[in-house]
Amino acid sequence: MVRNELISEIANRILSLKLPHPIRVGVSGITASGKTTFANELMEELRVRNMEVVRTSIDNFHHPRVVRYRQGKESAIGYYEDAHDYNSFKQKLLIPLGPGGDLHYQTISFDLDKDEFVNTESKVAKRDSIFIIDGTFLFKKDLSNLYDYKIFVDTDFELARKRGAKREEGNFGSYEKAEKMFINRYHAASKLYIEQHLPQLKADVVINNDDLDNPYFV
């Protein structure tokens, strides 16, 4: 399926939802599956249709470095368990936007580069706005019911590893080192997520993203 046609169809499905609060769209997938790009494209499509869209990520809700790496910088369990501050993610973003929420939200709690917490002033969401949130572990069991529409971007592990290693080779010093990190940490953690939380089964739609120009509904 041509990519822009698929994006347009997803936008149609989201806009068909009639809710008394903002629509919380979660876009999940293994690391380097293409979920961030997909979420950005979906945002653009909805904005072209004059919708109020807020774009953010669970990666704005990290734990401090001392917590993230307490099980080792290459630890898959450490990435899976310690990378993100799920309590802040829920309390500052997801819950206020949902049923009975007060609409006061924050899109960030932690500055990853400075390794420090961020106390930003809360914003007030419009009830007809759409929040598009991406992240690897979005559909863990205690989070999955806090979205109104869930998208899982399904990509072959080998393809994702190659894309991710190429993207991150500058950060790790070489393609080989980046690939090793994907194998040992990021994708090992992603496999735990898929095995333990079955995110594809929780999603409203699963998209195969192996061919970037021609993704398709699974």
Side-chain angles (χ1 to χ4, degrees):
M1 189 173 190
V2 177
R3 191 172 183 88
N4 62 347
E5 292 178 357
L6 184 142
I7 297 285
S8 179
E9 174 58 24
I10 293 291
N12 290 340
R13 296 183 188 187
I14 291 169
L15 292 175
S16 71
L17 300 173
K18 305 301 179 186
L19 301 173
H21 56 78
I23 298 173
R24 301 160 297 175
V25 179
V27 183
S28 188
I30 68 174
T31 310
S33 63
K35 59 188 175 297
T36 300
T37 299
F38 186 90
N40 289 339
E41 291 171 335
L42 181 58
M43 171 191 70
E44 294 296 338
E45 173 65 24
L46 290 165
R47 284 181 176 170
V48 165
R49 303 188 192 196
N50 297 315
M51 299 305 300
E52 177 85 17
V53 182
V54 178
R55 176 76 177 87
T56 189
S57 171
I58 196 174
D59 287 337
N60 293 332
F61 295 86
H62 270 94
H63 278 303
R65 189 176 293 120
V66 65
V67 175
R68 295 200 311 275
Y69 296 137
R70 61 187 172 188
Q71 299 189 64
K73 285 191 174 183
E74 294 189 15
S75 169
I77 293 292
Y79 181 56
Y80 183 57
E81 295 180 345
D82 301 331
H84 299 105
D85 182 351
Y86 294 111
N87 186 59
S88 290
F89 183 58
K90 290 189 290 185
Q91 297 299 328
K92 295 182 178 182
L93 182 64
L94 297 179
I95 291 174
L97 301 173
D102 64 8
L103 302 178
H104 288 75
Y105 72 94
Q106 297 177 42
T107 58
I108 184 170
S109 69
F110 193 79
D111 187 317
L112 200 59
D113 293 330
K114 295 181 179 178
D115 195 42
E116 63 185 27
F117 288 101
V118 176
N119 290 313
T120 58
E121 188 173 336
S122 293
K123 298 179 181 179
V124 182
K126 296 180 180 178
R127 292 188 182 276
D128 61 351
S129 60
I130 300 171
F131 283 70
I132 300 178
I133 307 151
D134 76 276
T136 299
F137 306 133
L138 287 193
F139 305 157
K140 281 187 172 183
K141 293 172 184 176
D142 61 339
L143 293 173
S144 64
N145 66 335
L146 298 177
Y147 308 96
D148 305 295
Y149 196 81
K150 296 186 286 291
I151 301 166
F152 188 85
V153 180
D154 192 16
T155 304
D156 176 77
F157 270 97
E158 183 178 0
L159 281 174
R161 184 183 76 243
K162 291 178 178 178
R163 292 175 192 167
K166 184 177 181 180
R167 181 187 73 195
E168 299 294 338
E169 62 181 325
N171 290 328
F172 290 105
S174 70
Y175 178 90
E176 290 73 22
K177 289 181 180 178
E179 186 175 41
K180 180 182 176 184
M181 186 64 76
F182 269 85
I183 293 170
N184 293 341
R185 182 170 168 89
Y186 301 131
H187 280 176
S190 294
K191 289 176 181 178
L192 289 173
Y193 169 57
I194 289 173
E195 291 168 3
Q196 295 181 10
H197 296 274
L198 305 174
Q200 297 102 315
L201 299 182
K202 295 175 182 176
D204 294 286
V205 64
V206 177
I207 296 161
N208 184 291
N209 199 44
D210 288 350
D211 183 342
L212 296 176
D213 292 326
N214 292 284
Y216 60 86
F217 295 108
V218 176

